Amino acid sequence: MQGKFLKSIYCLIRMNDTLIVKPASCKDCHKCLRECPVAAIGFKDSQAFIIEEKCIYCGNCIKTCPQGAKSALFEEKKLEAFLESDSYLIASIAPSFVAAFPDLKPGQLIQALKLIGFDYIAETAEAAARVVKQFKKEREKMNSTLITSCCPAVVNLMEKHYPKLLPQLAPVLSPMMLQTAELKNKFDSARVIFIGPCLAKIEESKNEKRRDYRPDIVITFEHLRFFLEKKGIKISELDSAEVDLPATHLTADYALSGGAVKAADLLKADPGCGNKALHLSGLENIINFLEDFKKDKDKIEVELVELLACSGGCINGPAINNDLSIPLKELEVHNYLSFSKQNNYKKDQSLKNEKSINEISFRRRHKSKKMSLPEVPESEIRKILASIAKEKKEEEKDCGGCGYSSCREKAAAVYHGFAEKKMCIPYMKSRAESLSQIIVESSHNAIIVVNDQMKIQKFNPVAKELFTQKNRELQGMKLDKFMDSSSFQKTWNLNQRLIHQKCSYKNGSITVDQTIFALREHKVIVGILTDISEQEDNVK
C-alpha cells in the first residue's frame, strides 16, 4: 500500500520551472527545509526537491541556501529576443526598485532600461490606486474582515494551506496583473515585462490563464542587474530619465508594510480610533495570524487586513540583494517619493482614453489547492521512529535539526516520501559513533586515543592485552603510567604524523610498527600500533 502511494506522490512532485534546484550544488545540509515556513522542501537521495503542491514561492530557500543551489527562473533568451525585435516594449517596474538599487539614482535605472530597448516605463504602483478602490468596494459587500490579495506568496499560502479562509481573501487582481491588462489595452501588440523583487510574481503570472492579463516575462531586480552588467552598461555613469507612467503619491510607497492600508485610508488602528485595519509582514507573523483567524475569526473585528510575506514589505523581497536594514530601505522609498513630488512628474492619463477601463475585469478567482495526503497510520509512525532508534517517547529529541518541528512530523514526511530516515542528526551521530566503536573494539591493532593533556580517551582490547592492562578501566588516566608517551607528545607538539615508525616498549620486550597522528580540531592524538615482536625475534 505504501509503495503504491509513494509512486503516486512522486508523480505529483514534478520538475518546477519557477524555482530551480541544481542537484550538483545541493550539499544535503537541510537549511532550506529549516527555513521553509510550509515544509515545501523534500529530500531524495540526499538532494533537495521542491514539493510544488506545498510551495508558496516566498524565496526563503533561495536566500538561505549556503551553496546557491536554488534560483528563480530567468527567461534571459526570451528577453533578448524581445529587445532585438520590433515589438513595443513596456517595463512595469515595482515600487521597491529604489530599495533594490540604493547605489543608483532612480532616474539612472530608468535611463538604463530605455538604453537597452524599452520604449515605455510604468511604475506598477500606479495601478494600485484602482486596486485599492476595488478593495473598498469588496469590503462594503462583506460583513467580516477582508484580506488583501496583492502579495502572491500570501495568496499561495491561503490557497494551499488555508483554503477555508479564501472567502475572506479579496477576489481582486494584483497591481501587476491590472497594469499589464491596461497597458496591453492601450498599446496594441505591446510586450509587457514586469520587473520586481519577488519570485512568487513569476508563478502568479504563469497561473493566469488570460493572456492579456499576464506579463510576457517576469524578471527580478537581481536578473536585471545581472543583465545590465552583462551588456556592459555602467548605470552609475548614465544621466537620469523619467518614468512615463509614475505612481500617484497615494500609492508610491505601496511596497512598504501598511502601504495598502494607508492608500485605503484605513490607518486608524490607534487606541481610541477604532479597529479599522491591521497590516502584518513576515511569514511567521502571518501564519500565526491565520491560525488565530481560523480558530475564531469573529474575534478579529477589523475591516481590512494587509498581509505581505516579506518582513517590512516588498522592500525586503528575495530578489533585493543588499545589506541595507529595513528602516534604511524604507528611507530610500520615502526619499524617492519626496523627489518625485519636488519634480512634479506629469501623470500620463491616456490609459483611460482608449477602450473603457470598465472593459477590464478587476476580478480574480481563488480556489483551494491544498495537497491531500492520507493520514499516516500510527503503526507506520512507530515503525519509522523505531528504525532510527526512537522506540520510546523520551528518545524523540524534537531538536529540529532535520527541518521538521518534531520527530513524529519527520516520520510522517518519511512515510510520504518527502524525507529520508538519515536526515536525523542525533541518530546519524549515534550510528557513526557506534560504527567507529565497533571498528575500534574489533581491530587487530592496538588503538590508543589520548587528549592533548595525554589523558587516555580510548584503549581498545588489543592495546590492553599488549600492555597487560586487560581488566583495568584506563579512561582518564595519564598515558605515561603504562607506556612511554613521548611519541604521542611529539606528534601533538610538532603537529606532524609518525607513519610506520618502529618502536620498542616495556623495556624492549615488545616491538611495534606505530602510526601516530593528531586530530587537532578534536584535540586528540590517535595511535595505531601493530605488534611485530615475533617478526623481530625471528630476524634476530
Side-chain angles (χ1 to χ4, degrees):
M1 176 65 184
Q2 185 182 355
K4 184 178 180 182
F5 173 70
L6 289 179
K7 184 177 179 181
S8 65
I9 284 294
Y10 286 129
C11 290
L12 289 173
I13 303 166
R14 52 190 177 275
M15 180 62 70
N16 184 278
D17 61 355
T18 298
L19 178 53
I20 299 162
V21 180
K22 294 174 276 189
S25 299
C26 181
K27 301 301 181 185
D28 197 24
C29 69
H30 310 148
K31 188 174 183 180
C32 55
L33 178 55
R34 289 194 295 274
E35 296 294 332
C36 181
V38 291
I41 308 286
F43 282 86
K44 182 174 172 58
D45 299 328
S46 300
Q47 296 292 306
F49 63 83
I50 307 303
I51 306 170
E52 186 176 349
E53 285 69 23
K54 297 172 75 175
C55 183
I56 62 174
Y57 302 97
C58 63
N60 271 4
C61 59
I62 293 178
K63 290 195 291 186
T64 59
C65 178
Q67 310 300 333
K70 299 166 190 69
S71 60
L73 172 70
F74 181 23
E75 296 182 279
E76 185 180 0
K77 290 183 179 178
K78 189 174 180 181
L79 177 60
E80 284 273 16
F82 283 170
L83 291 171
E84 292 172 5
S85 71
D86 295 329
S87 299
Y88 190 78
L89 288 187
I90 303 174
S92 173
I93 188 162
S96 53
F97 80 96
V98 290
F101 297 90
D103 51 324
L104 304 172
K105 294 176 182 177
Q108 290 177 320
L109 187 66
I110 304 305
Q111 178 65 19
L113 289 171
K114 293 193 173 185
L115 193 62
I116 62 173
F118 282 97
D119 301 291
Y120 189 91
I121 315 294
E123 290 185 7
T124 318
E126 191 276 335
R130 293 179 291 287
V131 169
V132 169
K133 285 182 182 178
Q134 198 64 27
F135 284 159
K136 289 183 175 181
K137 290 180 181 179
E138 293 296 330
R139 177 66 192 87
E140 290 169 2
K141 298 176 188 177
M142 298 180 67
N143 58 4
S144 58
T145 302
L146 181 74
I147 299 175
T148 61
S149 55
C150 291
C151 176
V154 170
V155 172
N156 288 334
L157 178 67
M158 294 186 67
E159 288 187 331
K160 294 182 179 184
H161 299 276
Y162 295 91
K164 289 184 179 179
L165 297 181
L166 286 176
Q168 312 301 134
L169 186 61
V172 180
L173 289 176
S174 68
M176 177 186 79
M177 308 297 273
L178 177 61
Q179 186 171 81
T180 297
E182 291 175 350
L183 289 168
K184 288 188 175 183
N185 194 346
K186 173 180 169 58
F187 299 101
D188 291 336
S189 303
R191 301 284 193 181
V192 178
I193 288 83
F194 174 80
I195 308 168
C198 188
L199 168 73
K201 283 294 184 187
I202 301 174
E203 187 66 12
E204 179 185 12
S205 176
K206 286 181 173 294
N207 286 337
E208 176 56 58
K209 305 300 181 187
R210 297 167 293 182
R211 184 179 177 279
D212 288 345
Y213 285 74
R214 65 173 184 263
D216 295 277
I217 312 177
V218 173
I219 68 173
T220 70
F221 292 137
E222 280 191 326
H223 292 154
L224 177 60
R225 188 182 285 275
F226 168 80
F227 190 79
L228 292 173
E229 287 176 356
K230 188 176 177 181
K231 290 288 183 182
I233 295 175
K234 297 180 179 178
I235 315 173
S236 60
E237 297 178 4
L238 298 177
D239 294 329
S240 290
E242 294 182 1
V243 295
D244 300 288
L245 182 62
T248 67
H249 298 315
L250 185 66
T251 59
D253 57 357
Y254 207 74
L256 307 181
S257 180
V261 168
K262 175 186 171 185
D265 195 27
L266 289 172
L267 266 182
K268 297 174 182 176
D270 296 326
C273 297
N275 294 324
K276 290 285 186 179
L278 288 175
H279 59 92
L280 300 172
S281 67
L283 281 166
E284 183 178 355
N285 292 333
I286 289 170
I287 289 171
N288 289 338
F289 167 78
L290 292 177
E291 286 292 334
D292 290 340
F293 199 51
K294 184 173 67 172
K295 290 173 188 173
D296 191 355
K297 65 181 181 181
D298 293 332
K299 280 189 177 180
I300 302 174
E301 297 178 359
V302 293
E303 292 183 12
L304 183 142
V305 178
E306 174 199 305
L307 303 179
L308 294 176
C310 297
S311 295
C314 304
I315 55 170
N316 203 33
I320 294 185
N321 189 16
N322 59 52
D323 296 327
L324 289 186
S325 63
I326 291 174
L328 288 183
K329 290 174 182 174
E330 288 182 355
L331 190 59
E332 290 288 338
V333 174
H334 290 311
N335 287 342
Y336 178 60
L337 180 56
S338 299
F339 173 79
S340 64
K341 279 182 179 178
Q342 290 170 8
N343 286 269
N344 194 24
Y345 282 170
K346 294 179 181 179
K347 266 195 67 182
D348 183 343
Q349 299 287 346
S350 60
L351 285 183
K352 301 174 186 177
N353 296 336
E354 300 296 319
K355 299 176 184 177
S356 170
I357 202 163
N358 292 327
E359 292 180 19
I360 296 174
S361 171
F362 283 78
R363 296 196 68 77
R364 176 182 181 181
R365 184 178 299 173
H366 301 296
K367 63 180 181 179
S368 173
K369 298 178 182 176
K370 190 173 179 66
M371 190 177 194
S372 179
L373 294 171
E375 187 174 346
V376 184
E378 179 63 21
S379 59
E380 293 295 330
I381 293 283
R382 298 308 320 164
K383 188 188 300 183
I384 292 168
L385 288 173
S387 71
I388 52 174
K390 300 179 188 299
E391 297 190 37
K392 299 175 182 177
K393 180 63 181 174
E394 55 267 27
E395 292 170 333
E396 296 176 28
K397 304 296 184 184
D398 296 341
C399 65
C402 62
Y404 291 94
S405 61
S406 70
C407 295
R408 290 183 62 85
E409 185 184 349
K410 186 275 183 83
V414 170
Y415 178 84
H416 290 314
F418 300 148
E420 297 176 303
K421 292 178 184 179
K422 69 176 183 177
M423 287 166 61
C424 178
I425 295 172
Y427 168 67
M428 293 303 292
K429 181 175 181 289
S430 173
R431 187 177 174 186
E433 289 174 350
S434 175
L435 182 59
S436 64
Q437 179 77 358
I438 291 170
I439 293 171
V440 169
E441 292 294 320
S442 61
S443 175
H444 295 297
N445 297 313
I447 298 178
I448 300 169
V449 182
V450 297
N451 66 13
D452 56 348
Q453 302 300 313
M454 296 300 121
K455 288 185 178 181
I456 296 170
Q457 307 298 300
K458 193 68 181 174
F459 221 78
N460 79 338
V462 175
K464 286 183 177 182
E465 187 170 342
L466 185 63
F467 291 93
T468 60
Q469 303 293 329
K470 192 171 182 181
N471 297 318
R472 296 187 66 181
E473 178 53 54
L474 306 179
Q475 187 167 345
M477 300 180 74
K478 283 280 192 175
L479 181 61
D480 57 15
K481 285 191 175 185
F482 313 102
M483 58 180 286
D484 179 7
S485 62
S486 60
S487 295
F488 285 78
Q489 190 69 62
K490 181 181 178 183
T491 298
W492 179 260
N493 292 342
L494 300 179
N495 192 24
Q496 60 182 217
R497 290 171 175 251
L498 300 178
I499 300 175
H500 293 304
Q501 179 194 58
K502 189 186 296 185
C503 187
S504 296
Y505 291 101
K506 293 176 65 177
N507 298 320
S509 62
I510 60 173
T511 305
V512 298
D513 177 326
Q514 66 182 18
T515 294
I516 304 175
F517 56 91
L519 297 174
R520 300 193 77 84
E521 66 272 24
H522 300 293
K523 295 185 177 181
V524 296
I525 306 99
V526 180
I528 303 173
L529 287 65
T530 304
D531 185 4
I532 58 171
S533 303
E534 189 174 336
Q535 294 96 304
E536 288 298 302
D537 289 341
N538 291 336
V539 170
K540 292 175 183 177

